[in-house]
């Protein structure tokens, strides 16, 4: 039977012959025979390979896909190599014993910070001979009289135990606190400022203090100061009428035994140490309020102590604001006026009110801090260069930066915005004044800014400016702001940071003298520091008031190294005279060291960069009213 074949010819349809079926099967089995008997069209129809040189064996049937045997081989080799290169190292690493990563070595600012804080230990009044913050004393050490190796300041002992003993209203007297400088006087005004600065640095950079291992130490130093400040007035009362403003001291030109005429270790003092009392002290009260309020934020984890500090701060701030007590605390007092004379108090009002607001959240303090009368009376907006220089006497640049912080991070708006914006603008101008390119201040050839016009003891102002500049940069970085404007020119925040680091580096030895002005830091530092305790040997000999003069006047180096003391600094020609009697060069002070500590902790890389944005605002309630509750569901 035949059928038409569209490709030409005909197809034969077998009707069912058995013999033919077997032949057909034989042909199916014999492909080689078929390839010779069928024409090209038939071979194509039967899917027979056309290439006579069949490449059978070069391909592998993997079920779902057919691939080249060569490709399969290379794929398997690639997988094997990947296992060796990637998996094997991972397996080895996982099986090795784990080691803790060592922290990076401390930078120079951290090393300097450790030393700068030790100065406060050396200045403590009533330091136990056998115990201080660094001491862990065994009974064997006590019985043998040995000082522990980690005592910190082994040449200091108990002193000032009779301070304030003549006061009937202070139980135990005014024992404690800090000696101010190379003498044995306790000046409460700069002491309070020093505690405020230390507290501010802890609030902003607590993570850095923790990373350097100094967190507990600096808190102990602050508490030593604030405990003493609480003794200087009736801190349990809500209203006070006096503050003890100083213990010890001297009058210019005096030839009677006192803290300046005598050259004695504090442990050997026998001369009278009168207590100064003020019944009118707006700047003293406001600065003490700032110190106690700032410390209350540092000690927020100790609710009872923080509350005690706030109560005391509230009392002294009210004393400062009493309109009938606006005479400066130092006026006509010969024991204070020549040394720590106050030139005004409206800057302390702004400074104290800002800290009181942060500590309490009471908006009346913010209203005071932004009262137009304060910048008007303090001439804050007059563009006076000297008012951009932070010191124990002038708090304006610090107060305005502190309030700028509020605007940057919380932005309370009306009715405070206008004044806060003005403070922010002036803060920017203050920072511009620190930059050499604007010629606001002179600079030494060696690279130190002359913030006190070339007068003695310049480094305290340099350190304070470095801290403010570094902190302002951190505020900008925290909000993603790359810089600010000085007139029409945009200044990168990196430029301001370089100013801060250059000035601290100058203090630490990058100066024409190649000398570190921080005692104990580096290989070359002052050896004749103007300091009674450091200059007199601890040789079990009690030198008299004038018997110590030989140690004052000797050209020999101090027998005791007062580690961490930042001396007054060089002159305007970058020259430094390491002579004990030239106190303008060689005397350290409490307030100066506080500024240096703040600058160092702001610049160190330990603990990472940046500030603690929120802790300072812990006591501030929400600035805007809460959203009203939703209305009750509608009922028909």
């Amino acid at each position: 039977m035949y059928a038409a074949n569209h490709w030409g010819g005909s197809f034969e349809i077998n009707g069912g012959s058995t013999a033919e079926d077997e032949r057909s099967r034989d042909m199916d089995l014999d492909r080689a025979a078929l390839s010779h008997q069928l024409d090209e069209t038939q071979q194509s129809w039967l899917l027979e390979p056309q290439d006579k040189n069949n490449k059978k064996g070069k391909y592998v049937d993997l079920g779902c896909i057919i691939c080249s045997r060569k490709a399969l081989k290379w794929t398997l080799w690639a997988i094997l190599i990947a296992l060796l290169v990637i998996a094997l190292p991972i397996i080895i690493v996982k099986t090795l014993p784990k080691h803790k990563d060592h922290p990076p070595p401390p930078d120079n600012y951290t090393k300097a910070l450790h030393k700068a804080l030790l100065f406060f230990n050396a200045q403590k009044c009533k330091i136990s001979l056998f115990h201080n913050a660094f001491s862990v004393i065994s009974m064997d050490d006590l019985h043998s009289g040995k000082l522990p190796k980690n005592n910190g300041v082994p040449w200091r002992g108990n002193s000032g135990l009779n301070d304030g003993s003549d006061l009937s209203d202070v139980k135990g007297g005014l024992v404690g606190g800090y000696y101010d400088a190379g003498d044995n006087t306790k000046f409460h005004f700069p002491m309070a400022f020093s505690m405020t600065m230390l507290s501010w640095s802890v609030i902003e950079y607590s993570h850095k203090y923790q990373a350097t291992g100094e967190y507990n130490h600096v808190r102990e130093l602050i508490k030593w100061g604030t405990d003493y400040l609480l003794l200087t007035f009736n801190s349990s009362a809500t209203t006070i009428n006096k503050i003890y403003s100083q213990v010890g001291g001297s009058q210019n030109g005096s030839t009677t035994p006192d803290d300046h005429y005598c050259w004695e270790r504090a442990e050997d003092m026998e001369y009278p140490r009168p207590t100064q009392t003020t019944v009118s002290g707006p700047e003293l009260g406001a600065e003490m309020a700032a110190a106690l309020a700032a410390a209350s934020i540092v000690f927020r984890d100790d609710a009872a102590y923080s509350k005690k500090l706030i109560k005391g701060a509230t009392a002294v701030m009210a004393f400062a604001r009493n309109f009938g007590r606006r005479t400066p605390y130092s006026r006509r007092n010969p024991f204070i006026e020549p040394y720590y004379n106050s030139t005004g108090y409206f800057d302390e009002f702004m400074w104290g009110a800002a800290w009181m607001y942060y500590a309490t959240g009471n908006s009346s303090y913010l209203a005071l801090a932004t009262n137009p009368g304060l910048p008007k009376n303090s001439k804050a907006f007059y563009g006076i260069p000297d008012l951009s220089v932070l010191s124990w006497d002038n708090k304006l640049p610090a107060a305005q930066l502190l309030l700028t912080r509020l605007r940057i991070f919380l932005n309370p708006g009306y009715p405070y915005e206008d004044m806060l914006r003005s403070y922010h603008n002036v803060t920017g101008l203050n920072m511009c004044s620190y930059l050499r390119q604007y010629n606001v201040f002179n600079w030494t050839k060696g690279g130190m800014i002359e913030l006190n016009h070339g007068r003695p003891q310049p480094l305290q102002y340099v350190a304070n400016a470095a801290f403010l500049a570094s902190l302002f940069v951190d505020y900008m970085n925290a909000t993603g702001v790359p810089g600010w404007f000085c007139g029409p020119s945009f200044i990168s925040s990196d430029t301001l940071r370089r100013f801060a680091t250059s000035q601290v580096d100058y203090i630490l030895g990058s100066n024409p003298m190649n000398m570190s002005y921080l005692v104990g830091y580096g290989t070359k530092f002052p050896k004749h520091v103007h300091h009674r305790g450091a200059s007199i040997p601890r040789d079990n000999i009690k030198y008299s008031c004038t018997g110590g003069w030989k140690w004052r006047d000797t050209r020999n180096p101090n027998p005791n190294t007062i580690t961490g003391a930042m001396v007054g600094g060089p002159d305007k020609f970058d020259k430094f005279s390491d002579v004990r009697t030239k106190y303008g060069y060689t005397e350290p002070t409490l307030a100066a060291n506080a500024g240096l500590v703040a600058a160092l902790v702001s610049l160190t890389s330990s603990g990472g960069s940046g500030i603690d944005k929120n802790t300072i605002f812990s006591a501030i309630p929400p600035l805007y009213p809460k959203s009203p509750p939703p209305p009750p569901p509608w009922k028909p």
Side-chain angles (χ1 to χ4, degrees), residues 44-86:
S44 174
W45 177 257
L46 294 174
L47 305 178
E48 187 69 20
Q50 298 179 28
D51 187 2
K52 293 182 180 180
N53 298 323
N54 186 12
K55 296 182 179 180
K56 183 179 179 180
K58 292 187 177 181
Y59 294 89
V60 177
D61 187 351
L62 298 178
C64 298
I65 59 172
I66 297 175
C67 69
S68 165
R69 188 178 295 275
K70 186 177 182 180
L72 179 62
K73 182 175 70 173
W74 281 107
T75 302
L76 292 174
W77 274 109
I79 293 172
L80 181 61
I81 293 171
L83 285 171
L84 292 173
V85 172
I86 299 174

Side-chain angles (χ1 to χ4, degrees), residues 410-477:
L410 292 189
N411 191 20
Y414 180 84
Y416 314 110
E417 169 59 18
D418 286 348
M419 193 56 63
L420 291 178
R421 183 175 63 249
S422 296
Y423 291 158
H424 194 166
N425 291 339
V426 172
T427 294
L429 294 174
N430 289 342
M431 300 302 157
C432 298
S433 74
Y434 300 154
L435 301 181
R436 195 167 192 169
Q437 66 203 68
Y438 293 108
N439 298 314
V440 176
F441 294 99
N442 291 330
W443 288 63
T444 66
K445 289 183 178 180
M448 180 186 72
I449 187 171
E450 296 180 44
L451 294 171
N452 67 334
H453 307 289
R455 292 190 288 267
Q457 298 181 320
L459 294 185
Q460 58 180 308
Y461 310 101
V462 171
N464 287 342
F467 170 60
L468 294 186
S470 180
L471 187 57
F472 187 56
V473 170
D474 281 336
Y475 288 172
M476 289 190 287
N477 289 344

Side-chain angles (χ1 to χ4, degrees), residues 279-400:
V279 295
S280 174
E283 63 287 274
L284 176 62
E287 183 57 66
M288 289 177 64
L292 299 175
S296 76
I297 302 174
V298 172
F299 293 101
R300 67 194 182 284
D301 56 339
D302 184 345
Y305 189 61
S306 182
K307 184 177 180 180
K308 182 179 181 180
L309 290 169
I310 290 175
K311 183 176 181 180
T314 304
V316 287
M317 191 66 186
F319 174 86
R321 291 287 295 155
N322 188 323
F323 193 77
R325 302 180 186 276
R326 295 291 179 88
T327 303
Y329 90 108
S330 56
R331 182 171 296 176
R332 291 186 294 275
N333 186 323
F335 288 92
I336 302 177
E337 199 168 35
Y339 309 104
Y340 286 102
N341 181 49
S342 172
T343 58
Y345 52 81
F346 290 100
D347 56 322
E348 277 86 13
F349 280 178
M350 189 188 299
W351 175 241
W355 280 114
M356 289 298 295
Y357 175 64
Y358 285 137
T360 67
N362 186 332
S363 60
S364 68
Y365 291 116
L366 180 57
L368 171 59
T370 55
N371 186 309
L374 296 189
K376 178 181 178 181
N377 286 291
S378 61
K379 301 180 180 179
F381 301 156
Y382 283 37
I384 300 172
D386 285 353
L387 296 185
S388 70
V389 180
L390 172 61
S391 70
W392 55 265
D393 183 39
N394 175 41
K395 317 304 179 355
L396 272 179
Q400 291 176 109

Side-chain angles (χ1 to χ4, degrees), residues 109-425:
Y109 302 128
T110 297
K111 295 175 183 177
L113 177 66
H114 291 315
K115 296 184 182 298
L117 286 168
L118 278 176
F119 175 70
F120 291 87
N121 288 68
Q123 295 302 99
K124 282 183 177 179
C125 175
K126 192 194 173 184
I127 307 173
S128 172
L129 187 61
F130 297 106
H131 179 70
N132 66 19
F134 295 99
S135 305
V136 179
I137 310 298
S138 68
M139 291 304 296
D140 291 339
D141 287 338
L142 281 172
H143 292 310
S144 67
K146 295 180 180 177
L147 287 171
K149 293 180 180 179
N150 62 343
N151 187 58
V153 192
W155 46 271
R156 295 314 312 247
N158 283 326
S159 63
L161 300 182
N162 294 318
D163 286 353
S165 58
D166 57 329
L167 304 176
S168 59
D169 58 340
V170 182
K171 186 178 180 180
L174 295 175
V175 179
Y178 293 96
Y179 300 117
D180 178 68
D183 53 25
N184 301 324
T185 309
K186 295 191 292 193
F187 292 99
H188 300 169
F189 187 44
M191 188 193 303
F193 172 69
S194 303
M195 296 304 104
T196 311
M197 290 291 285
L198 288 184
S199 292
W200 193 8
S201 71
V202 172
I203 293 166
E204 302 284 11
Y205 299 107
S206 60
H207 54 293
K208 294 191 176 189
Y209 277 113
Q210 290 170 347
T212 60
E214 292 286 1
Y215 182 65
N216 291 332
H217 181 202
V218 71
R219 279 167 53 104
E220 186 270 333
L221 295 177
I222 293 168
K223 190 173 187 297
W224 187 272
T226 53
D227 281 351
Y228 177 77
L229 292 177
L230 289 171
L231 295 177
T232 63
F233 65 98
N234 186 359
S235 58
S236 62
T238 56
T239 303
I240 61 173
N241 56 18
K242 64 181 178 181
I243 299 175
Y244 296 117
S245 54
Q246 182 174 311
V247 176
S250 63
Q251 299 186 54
N252 273 341
S254 172
T255 56
T256 59
D258 60 26
D259 279 321
H260 279 189
Y261 182 74
C262 297
W263 194 268
E264 281 185 299
R265 298 171 68 241
E267 294 81 356
D268 298 335
M269 296 182 297
E270 288 183 340
Y271 49 80
R273 287 170 55 80
T275 301
Q276 305 300 316
T277 306
T278 182
V279 295
S280 174
E283 63 287 274
L284 176 62
E287 183 57 66
M288 289 177 64
L292 299 175
S296 76
I297 302 174
V298 172
F299 293 101
R300 67 194 182 284
D301 56 339
D302 184 345
Y305 189 61
S306 182
K307 184 177 180 180
K308 182 179 181 180
L309 290 169
I310 290 175
K311 183 176 181 180
T314 304
V316 287
M317 191 66 186
F319 174 86
R321 291 287 295 155
N322 188 323
F323 193 77
R325 302 180 186 276
R326 295 291 179 88
T327 303
Y329 90 108
S330 56
R331 182 171 296 176
R332 291 186 294 275
N333 186 323
F335 288 92
I336 302 177
E337 199 168 35
Y339 309 104
Y340 286 102
N341 181 49
S342 172
T343 58
Y345 52 81
F346 290 100
D347 56 322
E348 277 86 13
F349 280 178
M350 189 188 299
W351 175 241
W355 280 114
M356 289 298 295
Y357 175 64
Y358 285 137
T360 67
N362 186 332
S363 60
S364 68
Y365 291 116
L366 180 57
L368 171 59
T370 55
N371 186 309
L374 296 189
K376 178 181 178 181
N377 286 291
S378 61
K379 301 180 180 179
F381 301 156
Y382 283 37
I384 300 172
D386 285 353
L387 296 185
S388 70
V389 180
L390 172 61
S391 70
W392 55 265
D393 183 39
N394 175 41
K395 317 304 179 355
L396 272 179
Q400 291 176 109
L401 178 59
L402 192 62
L403 291 164
T404 295
R405 191 194 209 283
L406 179 66
R407 182 176 190 250
I408 289 174
F409 293 107
L410 292 189
N411 191 20
Y414 180 84
Y416 314 110
E417 169 59 18
D418 286 348
M419 193 56 63
L420 291 178
R421 183 175 63 249
S422 296
Y423 291 158
H424 194 166
N425 291 339

Side-chain angles (χ1 to χ4, degrees), residues 488-506:
S489 302
F490 181 80
I491 306 298
S492 167
S493 58
D494 291 340
T495 301
L496 191 59
R497 181 82 79 186
R498 284 193 295 272
F499 160 78
T501 56
S502 71
Q503 297 308 292
V504 173
D505 289 347
Y506 184 100

